[in-house]
Amino acid sequence: MTRRWAAIGADVTVITSIYDKSDLIPKGFITNFNIEGVHVKLVNIRLSNKHSFPKRLYSFFAFSLTSIWYALTLKADVIITSSGPLTIGIPGVLAKMFRNITFVFELRDLWPTGAIELGALRNKTLIKMAKWLEKTCYQKADLIIPASIGQMEHVKTIVKNKPITVITNGSDNHLMHEVDLSLELPEWAVNKKLLLYAGTLGLIDDCATVVNLAKELEKRNRADMEVILIGDGKERLMLEEMAKNLELKNIHFLGQTSKENVMRWLSHCQISLFTVKNVKFLDTASPNKIFDAFAAGIPLVQNTQGWVKDYVAQRNCGLTVLQSDPVALADAVIKILDDPALWQTMSENSKKAAIEDFDRDMLSEKMLDAINIAVNNRR
């Protein structure tokens, strides 16, 4: 988004930190970069999906405290905080209170709801404090930007009459034209139907169901299909050990790679997989991986039960199954791949979704328009 805004003349500064997928290397506590016209201040505080919850909480607060300095000192017409952890809203709240700067709160995930439902946040006092911070962020914001309709409905149960604009994650359609998509497939992938899960292999992602999908396909003698997982996370070693114990030959862990390489693999695959555990707040998620599938124009088989389920059904660009059900997952995959006409229809509809509903150029323009309205209303 920020690169697109900078390209049309906006003066944008991003305060960020490093995590597992970062390709920026810090040279001190604060390192300055200029990336396609965007001023980037990289804070040398590491966040990892593999960290324990207390360590992640420490990283959240440490980054928030550092960001407060910039929120209170950098010249700006508007401050946008993108959450993730609610602590990221604190710099925006303080900038609004002490500098009267327009505050935009972008909501990427539902916190503390997610932490509570996952059991990571149990202390009643901390829960009460977290809910107070959530409400404060919403109340102080001049504009709230949730990533899905479900998140918007959640916000409306806490605050009333706030400007809200839903901006989902986006499909990077330009990558499908700008990146060389040629890929030398390994021998096991040649002339096979490839099913790809590309994303974090973490606690909430239920990738054990993907491993069990491979087992189910093997039981059905579907030697024409191979299951691929791209990514890293807290459960990767466990998942690899699980596949080894099941003696699976049709599943492959490729580790972490670049977004460009993910798009190459997607362009050679026939199905994109998206799985999460049966936790209610995840039904409101807006995960990058489904928009990458749309950009690649391949059907999606997924198991969330919220807005993505409704959208996939309306667009006829994939199928939805229940969580933790590898048999249903296998049924859905086979239904699509054994019917070339159905696969072709879903593939075409998936590409239309990327272009008509989730193109990142279109979404960045929509977001900037909403921000400009919020700034002008304050003035």
Side-chain angles (χ1 to χ4, degrees):
M1 298 295 197
T2 57
R3 288 185 295 186
R4 287 164 172 79
W5 300 339
I8 59 174
D11 184 4
V12 186
T13 299
V14 172
I15 317 299
T16 189
S17 66
I18 50 177
Y19 75 125
D20 292 341
K21 299 177 185 178
S22 297
D23 56 2
L24 298 179
I25 308 300
K27 297 178 181 178
F29 183 65
I30 303 292
T31 307
N32 291 295
F33 297 88
N34 188 293
I35 301 175
E36 297 183 37
V38 179
H39 310 292
V40 178
K41 293 185 179 295
L42 181 68
V43 183
N44 193 2
I45 296 173
R46 182 171 293 278
L47 179 66
S48 173
N49 178 265
K50 299 178 182 179
H51 288 167
S52 65
F53 183 72
K55 190 170 184 179
R56 285 166 65 86
L57 203 59
Y58 165 79
S59 298
F60 295 158
F61 275 103
F63 177 73
S64 182
L65 288 171
T66 306
S67 300
I68 287 170
W69 166 256
Y70 293 111
L72 296 179
T73 59
L74 287 181
K75 183 179 179 182
D77 298 301
V78 59
I79 181 167
I80 307 164
T81 67
S82 185
S83 171
L86 273 174
T87 49
I88 203 66
I90 297 173
V93 170
L94 294 179
K96 172 73 174 291
M97 292 174 61
F98 293 105
R99 300 183 65 194
N100 201 29
I101 293 176
T102 302
F103 170 35
V104 175
F105 187 71
E106 186 187 34
L107 186 63
R108 311 305 301 171
D109 288 300
L110 290 185
W111 295 102
T113 302
I116 295 168
E117 290 183 3
L118 289 168
L121 188 59
R122 299 177 183 177
N123 183 281
K124 290 183 179 179
T125 301
L126 290 178
I127 289 174
K128 189 175 181 179
M129 291 171 61
K131 288 186 174 181
W132 172 84
L133 178 57
E134 178 187 26
K135 187 173 183 178
T136 300
C137 289
Y138 297 160
Q139 288 176 330
K140 294 295 183 183
D142 297 292
L143 170 66
I144 301 171
I145 300 182
S148 73
I149 294 172
Q151 291 176 2
M152 177 182 70
E153 295 302 325
H154 171 82
V155 171
K156 287 181 176 180
T157 65
I158 298 174
V159 292
K160 308 295 182 184
N161 302 319
K162 276 286 178 181
I164 299 178
T165 299
V166 175
I167 304 287
T168 64
N169 271 326
S171 295
D172 292 303
N173 297 315
H174 68 286
L175 285 180
M176 303 307 294
H177 304 289
E178 296 174 5
V179 173
D180 179 4
L181 297 176
S182 60
L183 182 68
E184 186 176 347
L185 293 174
E187 186 177 346
W188 51 261
V190 176
N191 296 322
K192 295 294 183 73
K193 296 172 181 176
L194 306 178
L195 323 176
L196 176 63
Y197 173 93
T200 304
L201 310 181
L203 296 174
I204 67 172
D205 300 295
D206 196 27
C207 291
T209 297
V210 178
V211 176
N212 285 321
L213 164 66
K215 179 65 176 177
E216 183 66 24
L217 293 173
E218 191 177 76
K219 284 168 58 178
R220 301 189 194 191
N221 298 314
R222 297 306 302 246
D224 57 327
M225 299 182 185
E226 300 286 327
V227 178
I228 305 167
L229 292 96
I230 292 179
D232 199 0
K234 201 166 188 175
E235 292 200 341
R236 180 181 172 185
L237 293 179
M238 180 275 289
L239 294 166
E240 290 180 343
E241 188 66 24
M242 180 181 173
K244 181 179 178 182
N245 291 338
L246 291 172
E247 299 181 347
L248 298 177
K249 305 298 183 185
N250 62 342
I251 189 167
H252 312 273
F253 294 84
L254 304 188
Q256 199 147 278
T257 188
S258 67
K259 179 66 173 282
E260 289 78 10
N261 212 34
V262 169
M263 301 310 287
R264 292 186 186 99
W265 273 103
L266 279 168
S267 69
H268 286 77
C269 290
Q270 283 69 48
I271 294 284
S272 176
L273 302 171
F274 170 48
T275 59
V276 293
K277 291 185 176 177
N278 187 11
V279 183
K280 189 171 178 58
F281 91 98
L282 294 172
D283 290 338
T284 70
S286 182
N288 276 316
K289 54 182 76 68
I290 71 169
F291 302 99
D292 292 340
F294 294 152
I298 60 175
L300 173 71
V301 177
Q302 67 94 39
N303 67 3
T304 60
Q305 304 299 310
W307 79 274
V308 176
K309 175 184 177 180
D310 295 338
Y311 183 85
V312 166
Q314 291 164 6
R315 266 290 185 182
N316 190 26
C317 58
L319 293 174
T320 297
V321 300
L322 293 176
Q323 290 98 339
S324 304
D325 191 343
V327 174
L329 202 60
D331 289 343
V333 165
I334 290 170
K335 179 178 180 178
I336 296 172
L337 294 183
D338 282 1
D339 186 339
L342 177 62
W343 183 90
Q344 186 64 38
T345 296
M346 287 185 169
S347 176
E348 291 172 358
N349 289 339
S350 182
K351 191 64 180 178
K352 287 179 182 177
I355 295 171
E356 296 174 6
D357 296 335
F358 303 120
D359 181 74
R360 201 179 293 277
D361 290 338
M362 177 185 70
L363 292 176
S364 69
E365 184 177 341
K366 179 182 177 183
M367 185 171 175
L368 188 58
D369 287 345
I371 291 169
N372 281 327
I373 290 171
V375 172
N376 290 331
N377 284 344
R378 287 293 313 285
R379 286 174 176 165

PDB file of all heavy atoms in Angstrom, residues 63-94:
ATOM      1  N   PHE A  63       8.294  -2.808  20.973  1.00  0.00           N
ATOM      2  CA  PHE A  63       8.125  -2.113  19.697  1.00  0.00           C
ATOM      3  C   PHE A  63       7.183  -0.927  19.845  1.00  0.00           C
ATOM      4  O   PHE A  63       7.421   0.148  19.286  1.00  0.00           O
ATOM      5  CB  PHE A  63       7.606  -3.067  18.629  1.00  0.00           C
ATOM      6  CG  PHE A  63       7.349  -2.393  17.308  1.00  0.00           C
ATOM      7  CD1 PHE A  63       8.405  -1.993  16.504  1.00  0.00           C
ATOM      8  CD2 PHE A  63       6.066  -2.129  16.886  1.00  0.00           C
ATOM      9  CE1 PHE A  63       8.175  -1.339  15.296  1.00  0.00           C
ATOM     10  CE2 PHE A  63       5.816  -1.486  15.685  1.00  0.00           C
ATOM     11  CZ  PHE A  63       6.882  -1.093  14.898  1.00  0.00           C
ATOM     12  N   SER A  64       6.113  -1.122  20.602  1.00  0.00           N
ATOM     13  CA  SER A  64       5.154  -0.042  20.802  1.00  0.00           C
ATOM     14  C   SER A  64       5.805   1.157  21.480  1.00  0.00           C
ATOM     15  O   SER A  64       5.605   2.306  21.070  1.00  0.00           O
ATOM     16  CB  SER A  64       3.972  -0.539  21.642  1.00  0.00           C
ATOM     17  OG  SER A  64       3.021   0.481  21.813  1.00  0.00           O
ATOM     18  N   LEU A  65       6.607   0.903  22.500  1.00  0.00           N
ATOM     19  CA  LEU A  65       7.281   1.993  23.211  1.00  0.00           C
ATOM     20  C   LEU A  65       8.224   2.749  22.290  1.00  0.00           C
ATOM     21  O   LEU A  65       8.324   3.982  22.340  1.00  0.00           O
ATOM     22  CB  LEU A  65       8.040   1.436  24.422  1.00  0.00           C
ATOM     23  CG  LEU A  65       7.170   0.973  25.594  1.00  0.00           C
ATOM     24  CD1 LEU A  65       8.031   0.253  26.633  1.00  0.00           C
ATOM     25  CD2 LEU A  65       6.455   2.162  26.234  1.00  0.00           C
ATOM     26  N   THR A  66       8.931   2.018  21.438  1.00  0.00           N
ATOM     27  CA  THR A  66       9.839   2.663  20.476  1.00  0.00           C
ATOM     28  C   THR A  66       9.053   3.507  19.475  1.00  0.00           C
ATOM     29  O   THR A  66       9.434   4.628  19.132  1.00  0.00           O
ATOM     30  CB  THR A  66      10.672   1.604  19.729  1.00  0.00           C
ATOM     31  OG1 THR A  66      11.328   0.768  20.680  1.00  0.00           O
ATOM     32  CG2 THR A  66      11.712   2.262  18.834  1.00  0.00           C
ATOM     33  N   SER A  67       7.932   2.959  19.028  1.00  0.00           N
ATOM     34  CA  SER A  67       7.113   3.652  18.031  1.00  0.00           C
ATOM     35  C   SER A  67       6.493   4.933  18.580  1.00  0.00           C
ATOM     36  O   SER A  67       6.247   5.877  17.829  1.00  0.00           O
ATOM     37  CB  SER A  67       5.997   2.722  17.529  1.00  0.00           C
ATOM     38  OG  SER A  67       6.546   1.563  16.936  1.00  0.00           O
ATOM     39  N   ILE A  68       6.241   4.949  19.891  1.00  0.00           N
ATOM     40  CA  ILE A  68       5.646   6.136  20.504  1.00  0.00           C
ATOM     41  C   ILE A  68       6.515   7.365  20.266  1.00  0.00           C
ATOM     42  O   ILE A  68       6.004   8.465  20.001  1.00  0.00           O
ATOM     43  CB  ILE A  68       5.427   5.904  22.015  1.00  0.00           C
ATOM     44  CG1 ILE A  68       4.260   4.942  22.222  1.00  0.00           C
ATOM     45  CG2 ILE A  68       5.159   7.219  22.749  1.00  0.00           C
ATOM     46  CD1 ILE A  68       4.103   4.458  23.649  1.00  0.00           C
ATOM     47  N   TRP A  69       7.839   7.192  20.322  1.00  0.00           N
ATOM     48  CA  TRP A  69       8.751   8.309  20.104  1.00  0.00           C
ATOM     49  C   TRP A  69       8.502   8.946  18.732  1.00  0.00           C
ATOM     50  O   TRP A  69       8.395  10.166  18.609  1.00  0.00           O
ATOM     51  CB  TRP A  69      10.201   7.852  20.220  1.00  0.00           C
ATOM     52  CG  TRP A  69      11.202   8.836  19.699  1.00  0.00           C
ATOM     53  CD1 TRP A  69      11.885   8.781  18.529  1.00  0.00           C
ATOM     54  CD2 TRP A  69      11.588  10.072  20.325  1.00  0.00           C
ATOM     55  NE1 TRP A  69      12.687   9.869  18.370  1.00  0.00           N
ATOM     56  CE2 TRP A  69      12.527  10.688  19.472  1.00  0.00           C
ATOM     57  CE3 TRP A  69      11.241  10.708  21.506  1.00  0.00           C
ATOM     58  CZ2 TRP A  69      13.117  11.908  19.759  1.00  0.00           C
ATOM     59  CZ3 TRP A  69      11.841  11.924  21.811  1.00  0.00           C
ATOM     60  CH2 TRP A  69      12.760  12.507  20.943  1.00  0.00           C
ATOM     61  N   TYR A  70       8.401   8.117  17.717  1.00  0.00           N
ATOM     62  CA  TYR A  70       8.186   8.640  16.366  1.00  0.00           C
ATOM     63  C   TYR A  70       6.775   9.216  16.218  1.00  0.00           C
ATOM     64  O   TYR A  70       6.584  10.226  15.532  1.00  0.00           O
ATOM     65  CB  TYR A  70       8.419   7.535  15.334  1.00  0.00           C
ATOM     66  CG  TYR A  70       9.859   7.101  15.273  1.00  0.00           C
ATOM     67  CD1 TYR A  70      10.249   5.847  15.725  1.00  0.00           C
ATOM     68  CD2 TYR A  70      10.845   7.950  14.778  1.00  0.00           C
ATOM     69  CE1 TYR A  70      11.569   5.444  15.677  1.00  0.00           C
ATOM     70  CE2 TYR A  70      12.172   7.558  14.726  1.00  0.00           C
ATOM     71  CZ  TYR A  70      12.533   6.308  15.182  1.00  0.00           C
ATOM     72  OH  TYR A  70      13.853   5.924  15.147  1.00  0.00           O
ATOM     73  N   ALA A  71       5.797   8.572  16.862  1.00  0.00           N
ATOM     74  CA  ALA A  71       4.429   9.082  16.786  1.00  0.00           C
ATOM     75  C   ALA A  71       4.318  10.480  17.384  1.00  0.00           C
ATOM     76  O   ALA A  71       3.486  11.281  16.948  1.00  0.00           O
ATOM     77  CB  ALA A  71       3.484   8.126  17.512  1.00  0.00           C
ATOM     78  N   LEU A  72       5.159  10.776  18.358  1.00  0.00           N
ATOM     79  CA  LEU A  72       5.092  12.068  19.035  1.00  0.00           C
ATOM     80  C   LEU A  72       6.054  13.105  18.470  1.00  0.00           C
ATOM     81  O   LEU A  72       6.004  14.271  18.859  1.00  0.00           O
ATOM     82  CB  LEU A  72       5.366  11.889  20.543  1.00  0.00           C
ATOM     83  CG  LEU A  72       4.340  11.041  21.300  1.00  0.00           C
ATOM     84  CD1 LEU A  72       4.742  10.934  22.770  1.00  0.00           C
ATOM     85  CD2 LEU A  72       2.930  11.606  21.163  1.00  0.00           C
ATOM     86  N   THR A  73       6.947  12.700  17.547  1.00  0.00           N
ATOM     87  CA  THR A  73       7.961  13.643  17.060  1.00  0.00           C
ATOM     88  C   THR A  73       7.965  13.852  15.548  1.00  0.00           C
ATOM     89  O   THR A  73       8.310  14.942  15.084  1.00  0.00           O
ATOM     90  CB  THR A  73       9.375  13.184  17.487  1.00  0.00           C
ATOM     91  OG1 THR A  73       9.641  11.874  16.961  1.00  0.00           O
ATOM     92  CG2 THR A  73       9.499  13.169  19.007  1.00  0.00           C
ATOM     93  N   LEU A  74       7.628  12.834  14.759  1.00  0.00           N
ATOM     94  CA  LEU A  74       7.691  12.989  13.308  1.00  0.00           C
ATOM     95  C   LEU A  74       6.548  13.864  12.802  1.00  0.00           C
ATOM     96  O   LEU A  74       5.416  13.765  13.268  1.00  0.00           O
ATOM     97  CB  LEU A  74       7.608  11.619  12.622  1.00  0.00           C
ATOM     98  CG  LEU A  74       8.834  10.706  12.705  1.00  0.00           C
ATOM     99  CD1 LEU A  74       8.567   9.415  11.946  1.00  0.00           C
ATOM    100  CD2 LEU A  74      10.073  11.388  12.160  1.00  0.00           C
ATOM    101  N   LYS A  75       6.865  14.714  11.833  1.00  0.00           N
ATOM    102  CA  LYS A  75       5.844  15.552  11.213  1.00  0.00           C
ATOM    103  C   LYS A  75       4.903  14.661  10.395  1.00  0.00           C
ATOM    104  O   LYS A  75       5.346  13.842   9.594  1.00  0.00           O
ATOM    105  CB  LYS A  75       6.492  16.599  10.305  1.00  0.00           C
ATOM    106  CG  LYS A  75       5.499  17.560   9.669  1.00  0.00           C
ATOM    107  CD  LYS A  75       6.214  18.586   8.803  1.00  0.00           C
ATOM    108  CE  LYS A  75       5.212  19.529   8.143  1.00  0.00           C
ATOM    109  NZ  LYS A  75       5.892  20.512   7.255  1.00  0.00           N
ATOM    110  N   ALA A  76       3.602  14.832  10.614  1.00  0.00           N
ATOM    111  CA  ALA A  76       2.645  13.978   9.900  1.00  0.00           C
ATOM    112  C   ALA A  76       1.262  14.595   9.908  1.00  0.00           C
ATOM    113  O   ALA A  76       0.889  15.311  10.833  1.00  0.00           O
ATOM    114  CB  ALA A  76       2.600  12.591  10.546  1.00  0.00           C
ATOM    115  N   ASP A  77       0.502  14.323   8.854  1.00  0.00           N
ATOM    116  CA  ASP A  77      -0.917  14.690   8.801  1.00  0.00           C
ATOM    117  C   ASP A  77      -1.787  13.581   9.380  1.00  0.00           C
ATOM    118  O   ASP A  77      -2.884  13.830   9.866  1.00  0.00           O
ATOM    119  CB  ASP A  77      -1.349  14.944   7.348  1.00  0.00           C
ATOM    120  CG  ASP A  77      -0.589  16.098   6.733  1.00  0.00           C
ATOM    121  OD1 ASP A  77      -0.677  17.209   7.283  1.00  0.00           O
ATOM    122  OD2 ASP A  77       0.087  15.886   5.717  1.00  0.00           O
ATOM    123  N   VAL A  78      -1.305  12.357   9.278  1.00  0.00           N
ATOM    124  CA  VAL A  78      -2.090  11.206   9.709  1.00  0.00           C
ATOM    125  C   VAL A  78      -1.143  10.120  10.204  1.00  0.00           C
ATOM    126  O   VAL A  78      -0.044   9.949   9.670  1.00  0.00           O
ATOM    127  CB  VAL A  78      -2.980  10.686   8.558  1.00  0.00           C
ATOM    128  CG1 VAL A  78      -2.149  10.287   7.353  1.00  0.00           C
ATOM    129  CG2 VAL A  78      -3.838   9.503   9.010  1.00  0.00           C
ATOM    130  N   ILE A  79      -1.569   9.404  11.236  1.00  0.00           N
ATOM    131  CA  ILE A  79      -0.808   8.252  11.710  1.00  0.00           C
ATOM    132  C   ILE A  79      -1.691   7.024  11.557  1.00  0.00           C
ATOM    133  O   ILE A  79      -2.858   7.015  11.958  1.00  0.00           O
ATOM    134  CB  ILE A  79      -0.336   8.422  13.169  1.00  0.00           C
ATOM    135  CG1 ILE A  79       0.473   7.186  13.605  1.00  0.00           C
ATOM    136  CG2 ILE A  79      -1.482   8.699  14.135  1.00  0.00           C
ATOM    137  CD1 ILE A  79       1.240   7.399  14.892  1.00  0.00           C
ATOM    138  N   ILE A  80      -1.138   5.995  10.930  1.00  0.00           N
ATOM    139  CA  ILE A  80      -1.858   4.749  10.692  1.00  0.00           C
ATOM    140  C   ILE A  80      -1.170   3.651  11.496  1.00  0.00           C
ATOM    141  O   ILE A  80       0.041   3.432  11.332  1.00  0.00           O
ATOM    142  CB  ILE A  80      -1.840   4.367   9.204  1.00  0.00           C
ATOM    143  CG1 ILE A  80      -2.342   5.523   8.341  1.00  0.00           C
ATOM    144  CG2 ILE A  80      -2.659   3.105   8.963  1.00  0.00           C
ATOM    145  CD1 ILE A  80      -2.006   5.380   6.870  1.00  0.00           C
ATOM    146  N   THR A  81      -1.905   2.978  12.358  1.00  0.00           N
ATOM    147  CA  THR A  81      -1.326   1.842  13.071  1.00  0.00           C
ATOM    148  C   THR A  81      -2.010   0.577  12.587  1.00  0.00           C
ATOM    149  O   THR A  81      -3.228   0.550  12.392  1.00  0.00           O
ATOM    150  CB  THR A  81      -1.494   1.973  14.597  1.00  0.00           C
ATOM    151  OG1 THR A  81      -2.871   1.881  14.937  1.00  0.00           O
ATOM    152  CG2 THR A  81      -0.927   3.295  15.087  1.00  0.00           C
ATOM    153  N   SER A  82      -1.224  -0.458  12.351  1.00  0.00           N
ATOM    154  CA  SER A  82      -1.737  -1.696  11.774  1.00  0.00           C
ATOM    155  C   SER A  82      -1.587  -2.822  12.779  1.00  0.00           C
ATOM    156  O   SER A  82      -0.487  -3.223  13.120  1.00  0.00           O
ATOM    157  CB  SER A  82      -0.981  -2.014  10.480  1.00  0.00           C
ATOM    158  OG  SER A  82      -1.542  -3.134   9.845  1.00  0.00           O
ATOM    159  N   SER A  83      -2.710  -3.319  13.257  1.00  0.00           N
ATOM    160  CA  SER A  83      -2.736  -4.295  14.341  1.00  0.00           C
ATOM    161  C   SER A  83      -3.293  -5.612  13.847  1.00  0.00           C
ATOM    162  O   SER A  83      -4.387  -5.657  13.315  1.00  0.00           O
ATOM    163  CB  SER A  83      -3.640  -3.758  15.458  1.00  0.00           C
ATOM    164  OG  SER A  83      -3.866  -4.748  16.431  1.00  0.00           O
ATOM    165  N   GLY A  84      -2.664  -6.652  13.977  1.00  0.00           N
ATOM    166  CA  GLY A  84      -1.779  -7.354  14.889  1.00  0.00           C
ATOM    167  C   GLY A  84      -2.106  -7.077  16.356  1.00  0.00           C
ATOM    168  O   GLY A  84      -3.253  -7.007  16.760  1.00  0.00           O
ATOM    169  N   PRO A  85      -1.048  -7.093  17.133  1.00  0.00           N
ATOM    170  CA  PRO A  85      -1.208  -6.865  18.569  1.00  0.00           C
ATOM    171  C   PRO A  85      -1.808  -5.493  18.846  1.00  0.00           C
ATOM    172  O   PRO A  85      -1.482  -4.524  18.171  1.00  0.00           O
ATOM    173  CB  PRO A  85       0.228  -6.964  19.098  1.00  0.00           C
ATOM    174  CG  PRO A  85       1.079  -6.646  17.926  1.00  0.00           C
ATOM    175  CD  PRO A  85       0.370  -7.229  16.746  1.00  0.00           C
ATOM    176  N   LEU A  86      -2.686  -5.434  19.837  1.00  0.00           N
ATOM    177  CA  LEU A  86      -3.343  -4.170  20.180  1.00  0.00           C
ATOM    178  C   LEU A  86      -2.364  -3.098  20.606  1.00  0.00           C
ATOM    179  O   LEU A  86      -2.641  -1.902  20.472  1.00  0.00           O
ATOM    180  CB  LEU A  86      -4.347  -4.404  21.306  1.00  0.00           C
ATOM    181  CG  LEU A  86      -5.745  -4.833  20.895  1.00  0.00           C
ATOM    182  CD1 LEU A  86      -6.561  -5.174  22.121  1.00  0.00           C
ATOM    183  CD2 LEU A  86      -6.419  -3.728  20.101  1.00  0.00           C
ATOM    184  N   THR A  87      -1.215  -3.517  21.142  1.00  0.00           N
ATOM    185  CA  THR A  87      -0.232  -2.544  21.614  1.00  0.00           C
ATOM    186  C   THR A  87       0.210  -1.599  20.512  1.00  0.00           C
ATOM    187  O   THR A  87       0.681  -0.494  20.789  1.00  0.00           O
ATOM    188  CB  THR A  87       1.001  -3.267  22.185  1.00  0.00           C
ATOM    189  OG1 THR A  87       1.439  -4.258  21.240  1.00  0.00           O
ATOM    190  CG2 THR A  87       0.666  -3.964  23.498  1.00  0.00           C
ATOM    191  N   ILE A  88       0.048  -2.010  19.260  1.00  0.00           N
ATOM    192  CA  ILE A  88       0.451  -1.153  18.154  1.00  0.00           C
ATOM    193  C   ILE A  88      -0.457   0.059  18.046  1.00  0.00           C
ATOM    194  O   ILE A  88      -0.100   1.070  17.417  1.00  0.00           O
ATOM    195  CB  ILE A  88       0.466  -1.953  16.828  1.00  0.00           C
ATOM    196  CG1 ILE A  88       1.389  -1.292  15.797  1.00  0.00           C
ATOM    197  CG2 ILE A  88      -0.936  -2.095  16.257  1.00  0.00           C
ATOM    198  CD1 ILE A  88       2.825  -1.316  16.199  1.00  0.00           C
ATOM    199  N   GLY A  89      -1.636  -0.003  18.682  1.00  0.00           N
ATOM    200  CA  GLY A  89      -2.534   1.144  18.655  1.00  0.00           C
ATOM    201  C   GLY A  89      -2.123   2.254  19.597  1.00  0.00           C
ATOM    202  O   GLY A  89      -2.551   3.412  19.427  1.00  0.00           O
ATOM    203  N   ILE A  90      -1.280   1.953  20.591  1.00  0.00           N
ATOM    204  CA  ILE A  90      -0.914   2.945  21.606  1.00  0.00           C
ATOM    205  C   ILE A  90      -0.253   4.181  20.993  1.00  0.00           C
ATOM    206  O   ILE A  90      -0.624   5.318  21.345  1.00  0.00           O
ATOM    207  CB  ILE A  90      -0.023   2.308  22.688  1.00  0.00           C
ATOM    208  CG1 ILE A  90      -0.797   1.201  23.420  1.00  0.00           C
ATOM    209  CG2 ILE A  90       0.462   3.364  23.690  1.00  0.00           C
ATOM    210  CD1 ILE A  90       0.035   0.399  24.397  1.00  0.00           C
ATOM    211  N   PRO A  91       0.723   4.043  20.084  1.00  0.00           N
ATOM    212  CA  PRO A  91       1.308   5.247  19.471  1.00  0.00           C
ATOM    213  C   PRO A  91       0.268   6.120  18.776  1.00  0.00           C
ATOM    214  O   PRO A  91       0.333   7.354  18.847  1.00  0.00           O
ATOM    215  CB  PRO A  91       2.319   4.683  18.465  1.00  0.00           C
ATOM    216  CG  PRO A  91       2.654   3.331  18.974  1.00  0.00           C
ATOM    217  CD  PRO A  91       1.397   2.810  19.600  1.00  0.00           C
ATOM    218  N   GLY A  92      -0.704   5.502  18.108  1.00  0.00           N
ATOM    219  CA  GLY A  92      -1.754   6.269  17.434  1.00  0.00           C
ATOM    220  C   GLY A  92      -2.640   7.015  18.412  1.00  0.00           C
ATOM    221  O   GLY A  92      -2.985   8.180  18.191  1.00  0.00           O
ATOM    222  N   VAL A  93      -3.019   6.348  19.505  1.00  0.00           N
ATOM    223  CA  VAL A  93      -3.848   6.980  20.528  1.00  0.00           C
ATOM    224  C   VAL A  93      -3.130   8.194  21.115  1.00  0.00           C
ATOM    225  O   VAL A  93      -3.723   9.276  21.271  1.00  0.00           O
ATOM    226  CB  VAL A  93      -4.196   5.970  21.646  1.00  0.00           C
ATOM    227  CG1 VAL A  93      -4.839   6.689  22.839  1.00  0.00           C
ATOM    228  CG2 VAL A  93      -5.122   4.883  21.112  1.00  0.00           C
ATOM    229  N   LEU A  94      -1.838   8.045  21.421  1.00  0.00           N
ATOM    230  CA  LEU A  94      -1.083   9.143  22.031  1.00  0.00           C
ATOM    231  C   LEU A  94      -0.866  10.289  21.043  1.00  0.00           C
ATOM    232  O   LEU A  94      -0.904  11.463  21.421  1.00  0.00           O
ATOM    233  CB  LEU A  94       0.255   8.634  22.562  1.00  0.00           C
ATOM    234  CG  LEU A  94       0.156   7.634  23.727  1.00  0.00           C
ATOM    235  CD1 LEU A  94       1.540   7.167  24.159  1.00  0.00           C
ATOM    236  CD2 LEU A  94      -0.584   8.245  24.914  1.00  0.00           C
TER     237      LEU A  94
END
